[in-house]
Amino acid sequence: MPSLQEILVLAVFGSTTSGIAYLLFMTGGRYIPSSEAGLIGLLDVVLGPLWVWLAFSETPDISTIIGGVIILISVFWYLWSGMRGDQPRRTLKNV
C-alpha cells in the first residue's frame, strides 16, 4: 500500500501531465479540422500498449497489436493522402 506522500506525488504527477496534455490538445485542436483532432486523440489510446511494452516489458496480446496496426495504418493513410494534395480537405471555410 502506498504511503500518503506517494499518493500525493502520484496525484500531482497525473494531474499535471494529463492537464498539460489536454490543454495543449485543446489549444492545437483549433487549428486543424475536427476529424484530424479526433484521429490524433485516438493515437493516445492506440500507442498506450506500446509505451507499456517499452517501459515495463509487458507483452500485449496479438489482437491488441493487430488492432493498433490497423488504426495506425488508417491514420497515416489519411494524413498522407492529405499531404499529397489530391483532395482538398473539407472545412467550414471552404464548404
Side-chain angles (χ1 to χ4, degrees), residues 11-85:
V12 169
F13 175 73
S15 62
T16 55
T17 56
S18 295
I20 291 171
Y22 288 128
L23 179 67
L24 292 173
F25 182 71
M26 288 188 327
T27 303
R30 288 188 253 164
Y31 302 106
I32 60 174
S34 61
S35 60
E36 288 182 18
L39 288 174
I40 292 170
L42 180 66
L43 288 178
D44 180 39
V45 176
V46 173
L47 294 175
L50 174 69
W51 306 134
V52 171
W53 175 60
L54 291 174
F56 302 109
S57 299
E58 181 179 320
T59 306
D61 290 338
I62 191 69
S63 60
T64 303
I65 294 171
I66 292 171
V69 167
I70 290 170
I71 292 173
L72 286 175
I73 288 171
S74 64
V75 168
F76 289 132
W77 173 76
Y78 175 80
L79 294 175
W80 180 71
S81 66
M83 288 191 312
R84 285 191 333 221

